[in-house]
Amino acid sequence: MAELLKVIFEREGIFLHPSPDEGSPDQDLLVSGSLRIIEKDAEILVEYRPLEDSVDPSNMLCAGQDSSSVVEWGQSAGEKSQSRQLLETQQSYETEWDMVNAVSFKKKNYTNGERSLNHSHERSRWAFSVNISDLKSITVKEEGWTFLILQLKDSSSSIPALHFHQGGSREFLDSLRRFALLTECPEDETRLLVSTPSKALSQSFENLLDDNNFGLVHKFKRDPYVTTLGSFSKVTNYIYDALRGTEEQQQQRPPEEVADLLGEVIPGLEINQQEEPGFEVITRIDLGTRPQVSRAEPVSADEWSKHQDPEGRIENEAALRQRIFKGGLCHAMRREAWKFLLGYYPWTSTLEERKSLQKAKTDEYFRMKLQWKSISEEQERRNSRLRDYKSLIEKDVNRTDRTNRFYEGLNNPGLTLLHDILMTYCMYDFDLGYVQGMSDLLSPILFVMENEVDAFWCFVSFMDQMHQNFEEQMQGMKTQLIQLSTLLRLLDLAFWNYLESQESGYLYFCFRWLLIRFKRELIFSDVLRLWEVMWTELPCQNFHLLVCCAILDSEKQKIMEENYGFNEILKHINELSMKLNIEEILQKAEGIYLQIRSCKDLPHSISSILGFDTQHRVSSQVDSGSRPVQQQDACSNGHCRDNRPQNSCRGVFTS
């Protein structure tokens, strides 16, 4: 099986300047090579590989974008700037290590077979590969160009200085910062100290994310299925130690320090410790009694048909959405109804219009599918991104829902469809491509649709909602974690304070819930029910955050009474997987919504998260399809609240 490499940074034309004491007889000899930061076997490595020929700097040429144009390398600043600009226009294509070279050289003349005898030795002599965890420091020097001196923790070994004649040192350091913390040395401002807590922390979170080690942090770069949860105690102990520090530092870390550590674990999660200007910090609020809510029976085929006119248009869409929210759908109706809920079919379309739409979408799908199907092996060999996508998809498809009858067994056609849809999605959105975890979002949709084209376009609509969860900076995850913490602080300040005291206030143990919408927390049939309820977009925006709050509300008593610490909270939340009752959760989540909605003086942040307009509540409820709440008949979703005191919602704020 071919080894999977992921290239994080890659640049050619990086030079070594061997000195006589390093065994180079020619003081003017330069060694040119390729510098990469790669991920290999869940490790981040810095690799340097010399190119075929050593370089005499007096003969060095720089190839421009037009291969017929060659610029002599000069030492003046203007010439160097021109050469650097030309080099940076080049495209780098990886074919293992046989790459299109952005630098051309006049080759030195060798006699008596000297080149063939010495080449292999010289090439291996200057090549090196080091794990970033073995780096102690990086010294940044300027000498007309930038060169970097990498110092290892093992003082008995040394690495030659890397000279960036054509630039790229800043990009190299920026790429390293994604995996290591670079801090300026107090004694030497040119020296950056290297520490790599993020590697171990990221691996810890990946082990936490799933009982199959479904690691999805930071574009999910680690192989998520390698390590099992058997190492859970080691994982949580590391996070605990990393956040708590040594015994001499047992006092609680400042919030900003915990935020920095979490930022390393979840790239892009830069938690702002300063409240927004004018934001009211909730110190105590009484939301009143939480109403009891009942669920309804699923929408049947007969009931669905009653909402269609003779031409197939959906009538009274708002009422139908409300019914789906309250009871879900019977399984026989999901194949049709999900297309409306996900926006593949317009609610106002006729049957004939949907047939025309499906024909056009079928043509569009197979045109995109043909794009990757028709790529030759030679083309694929020169497209590293497509190779990476394809390799990840093949790996994940073979591990997705294999106990489900639709995907079980060898040579299952369901697996082929899963693979082909994900590959075609790479053509549809090549910037995002494929990220581990997306197969979990597609699997239930394909299971319901049992049709390649329909499943693809429904998946596209779902990914439009989930896109930010999978982007490089994971802005969607950052936002949701902060919003969830804000909601929990409103709903149960005592519980939130307890989690904060256990350094769990950022709720990062909910990461997996949000990332793939509880796909790994619920049995398969409950996932279908939850998703169709959420797709109604009722009763408010971000209802899935209230689902999180409902689960936490059910578990808070055990967590607090047992005095769970950091480790125990992580372990307990993880062990809830496949033990949750979706109907009870939805009842409680709706009750929380009604409880919050009835509050007259909600903080602005809460209204914003849930999409409330505090000045136009009645009109916003009508727009969302919910029954308007009136003074004389304050009933919503079957629960009357007309006997509640006018001032039952009380809030005390400090600015």
Side-chain angles (χ1 to χ4, degrees):
M1 183 177 177
E3 185 177 45
L4 178 64
L5 297 179
K6 185 168 182 64
V7 179
I8 311 300
F9 168 89
E10 177 181 39
R11 195 172 187 92
E12 299 174 6
I14 308 301
F15 291 87
L16 308 182
H17 294 193
S19 59
D21 58 353
E22 291 176 312
S24 172
D26 187 350
Q27 295 188 24
D28 294 326
L29 178 68
L30 300 182
V31 176
S32 175
S34 297
L35 180 66
R36 300 199 304 181
I37 301 175
I38 65 170
E39 182 178 23
K40 177 180 178 183
D41 297 333
E43 300 289 343
I44 304 301
L45 307 175
V46 177
E47 285 195 348
Y48 182 83
R49 300 288 182 87
L51 299 179
E52 283 224 350
D53 297 284
S54 300
V55 182
D56 184 336
S58 64
N59 292 327
M60 189 165 71
L61 301 176
C62 181
Q65 188 171 9
D66 178 359
S67 60
S68 64
S69 64
V70 180
V71 180
E72 188 80 27
W73 178 264
Q75 292 302 310
S76 70
E79 290 172 326
K80 281 190 287 188
S81 175
Q82 180 186 16
S83 299
R84 175 174 177 174
Q85 290 175 3
L86 286 168
L87 260 295
E88 290 179 344
T89 64
Q90 299 300 310
Q91 300 295 320
S92 176
Y93 299 96
E94 183 202 3
T95 57
E96 293 184 358
W97 277 104
D98 300 320
M99 293 172 277
V100 176
N101 192 9
V103 181
S104 299
F105 308 107
K106 293 179 181 178
K107 298 182 179 180
K108 299 180 71 172
N109 294 323
Y110 292 89
T111 59
N112 299 326
E114 178 185 357
R115 179 186 181 278
S116 61
L117 290 172
N118 292 338
H119 169 67
S120 177
H121 171 71
E122 288 297 320
R123 182 178 174 85
S124 60
R125 174 187 177 87
W126 301 113
F128 65 80
S129 176
V130 297
N131 193 307
I132 64 167
S133 62
D134 295 328
L135 291 176
K136 179 180 181 180
S137 67
I138 301 174
T139 302
V140 183
K141 297 286 189 179
E142 298 289 337
E143 195 176 272
W145 59 83
T146 301
F147 65 95
L148 305 179
I149 302 172
L150 278 58
Q151 183 179 357
L152 300 175
K153 294 176 181 176
D154 180 4
S155 58
S156 63
S157 303
S158 62
I159 298 175
L162 300 169
H163 294 257
F164 293 76
H165 287 282
Q166 284 94 40
S169 60
R170 178 174 296 179
E171 292 86 346
F172 172 74
L173 293 174
D174 287 344
S175 297
L176 272 185
R177 286 188 175 96
R178 295 167 55 185
F179 306 97
L181 187 63
L182 306 183
T183 55
E184 186 175 304
C185 177
E187 294 80 18
D188 183 356
E189 63 181 13
T190 67
R191 187 182 177 203
L192 300 173
L193 302 178
V194 182
S195 57
T196 55
S198 59
K199 170 183 173 293
L201 279 168
S202 294
Q203 189 63 50
S204 299
F205 270 80
E206 289 168 2
N207 284 324
L208 169 64
L209 285 175
D210 188 76
D211 54 355
N212 291 321
N213 190 42
F214 191 68
L216 301 172
V217 177
H218 192 58
K219 295 294 284 185
F220 323 105
K221 290 188 172 72
R222 309 287 192 268
D223 183 344
Y225 300 96
V226 170
T227 309
T228 67
L229 199 62
S231 59
F232 188 85
S233 60
K234 290 191 235 178
V235 169
T236 54
N237 282 335
Y238 181 87
I239 305 177
Y240 186 75
D241 293 342
L243 291 175
R244 291 290 295 271
T246 62
E247 292 184 2
E248 293 78 16
Q249 301 170 326
Q250 281 301 302
Q251 67 273 21
Q252 185 173 337
R253 287 177 182 265
E256 59 273 13
E257 186 173 350
V258 176
D260 289 343
L261 284 167
L262 290 175
E264 293 168 13
V265 175
I266 307 173
L269 184 61
E270 298 173 359
I271 300 172
N272 185 4
Q273 295 301 309
Q274 301 298 321
E275 300 288 358
E276 297 178 10
F279 182 78
E280 295 175 309
V281 180
I282 305 168
T283 57
R284 179 173 59 85
I285 189 165
D286 181 3
L287 293 172
T289 304
R290 182 175 302 162
Q292 297 298 311
V293 175
S294 62
R295 298 280 298 161
E297 291 296 315
V299 175
S300 65
D302 287 341
E303 184 177 358
W304 177 269
S305 64
K306 291 177 182 178
H307 283 269
Q308 290 184 305
D309 69 10
E311 293 184 327
R313 295 184 185 87
I314 300 296
E315 295 180 320
N316 202 348
E317 172 198 338
L320 185 54
R321 283 181 182 269
Q322 181 71 12
R323 274 290 291 119
I324 297 171
F325 171 75
K326 290 296 294 183
L329 293 155
C330 68
H331 189 71
M333 287 310 306
R334 282 178 172 140
R335 187 180 306 177
E336 181 177 357
W338 280 22
K339 297 171 188 175
F340 290 93
L341 290 171
L342 284 166
Y344 176 34
Y345 286 170
W347 290 89
T348 57
S349 62
T350 65
L351 181 60
E352 290 302 316
E353 288 170 342
R354 293 196 288 273
K355 288 180 180 178
S356 298
L357 174 65
Q358 191 169 35
K359 183 179 183 301
K361 289 295 188 181
T362 298
D363 291 342
E364 185 177 354
Y365 173 78
F366 283 107
R367 280 196 299 269
M368 288 186 290
K369 183 173 181 178
L370 184 62
Q371 290 174 357
W372 65 266
K373 280 282 192 179
S374 60
I375 289 177
S376 67
E377 291 184 4
E378 188 69 14
Q379 286 176 298
E380 185 177 323
R381 193 167 66 91
R382 290 183 170 84
N383 193 328
S384 60
R385 289 185 66 189
L386 185 62
R387 287 201 314 274
D388 288 345
Y389 293 155
K390 184 177 180 180
S391 178
L392 284 172
I393 289 170
E394 290 173 350
K395 180 183 293 185
D396 284 0
V397 161
N398 287 322
R399 294 160 172 166
T400 301
D401 291 324
R402 295 306 302 275
T403 58
N404 185 294
R405 62 173 178 81
F406 194 79
Y407 301 108
E408 67 184 359
L410 298 174
N411 302 316
N412 189 308
L415 298 178
T416 303
L417 292 178
L418 199 66
H419 170 274
D420 288 1
I421 293 171
L422 292 171
M423 283 296 298
T424 305
Y425 187 80
C426 292
M427 298 295 103
Y428 175 83
D429 187 351
F430 202 80
D431 285 343
L432 179 64
Y434 177 77
V435 180
Q436 286 173 325
M438 288 165 55
S439 63
D440 273 284
L441 299 185
L442 172 59
S443 169
I445 294 175
L446 179 58
F447 171 83
V448 167
M449 295 297 154
E450 296 183 323
N451 176 282
E452 182 176 4
V453 175
D454 291 343
F456 173 81
W457 290 111
C458 288
F459 176 66
V460 165
S461 297
F462 194 20
M463 281 303 302
D464 287 344
Q465 303 174 26
M466 304 292 289
H467 200 281
Q468 281 194 321
N469 282 15
F470 296 94
E471 292 171 359
E472 182 74 25
Q473 296 303 316
M474 303 185 81
Q475 181 62 37
M477 294 305 303
K478 166 189 173 181
T479 301
Q480 289 173 89
L481 284 169
I482 294 173
Q483 289 175 336
L484 179 56
S485 181
T486 303
L487 286 169
L488 188 62
R489 183 167 56 176
L490 169 82
L491 291 167
D492 197 326
L493 187 59
F495 182 46
W496 186 88
N497 283 332
Y498 177 83
L499 293 176
E500 185 79 358
S501 72
Q502 302 302 321
E503 291 161 338
S504 300
Y506 291 117
L507 308 179
Y508 36 81
F509 48 78
C510 299
F511 191 89
R512 182 178 67 188
W513 299 0
L514 301 171
L515 185 70
I516 50 176
R517 287 298 190 270
F518 307 93
K519 170 61 167 53
R520 293 282 173 137
E521 316 311 316
L522 304 169
I523 61 174
F524 199 83
S525 59
D526 283 356
V527 172
L528 307 184
R529 172 73 76 239
L530 175 63
W531 285 8
E532 64 199 14
V533 167
M534 292 193 302
W535 291 338
T536 65
E537 301 178 350
L538 295 176
C540 59
Q541 71 181 29
N542 287 319
F543 182 66
H544 67 286
L545 297 180
L546 298 184
V547 172
C548 294
C549 291
I551 298 173
L552 292 174
D553 184 74
S554 298
E555 302 303 321
K556 68 178 181 181
Q557 182 176 357
K558 184 175 183 63
I559 290 173
M560 296 177 72
E561 286 183 354
E562 299 291 335
N563 197 29
Y564 281 173
F566 190 93
N567 287 15
E568 292 83 6
I569 293 172
L570 294 174
K571 189 173 187 295
H572 178 72
I573 294 299
N574 192 75
E575 290 176 347
L576 294 177
S577 179
M578 303 302 158
K579 299 176 183 177
L580 300 171
N581 184 311
I582 189 58
E583 293 299 328
E584 292 179 0
I585 292 169
L586 288 172
Q587 283 181 353
K588 180 168 286 190
E590 186 182 353
I592 291 172
Y593 158 75
L594 294 172
Q595 185 182 26
I596 295 176
R597 186 71 181 188
S598 66
C599 183
K600 296 176 61 177
D601 301 310
L602 281 178
H604 173 72
S605 60
I606 301 298
S607 298
S608 177
I609 291 169
L610 299 180
F612 295 165
D613 183 343
T614 55
Q615 296 179 345
H616 303 282
R617 292 188 181 189
V618 174
S619 62
S620 67
Q621 277 194 318
V622 172
D623 291 341
S624 69
S626 299
R627 183 179 177 185
V629 177
Q630 300 175 0
Q631 283 296 113
Q632 66 269 28
D633 183 21
C635 294
S636 175
N637 297 328
H639 182 83
C640 292
R641 303 192 308 275
D642 55 325
N643 59 346
R644 293 198 47 188
Q646 290 289 332
N647 62 347
S648 60
C649 173
R650 304 186 304 276
V652 178
F653 305 97
T654 59
S655 58

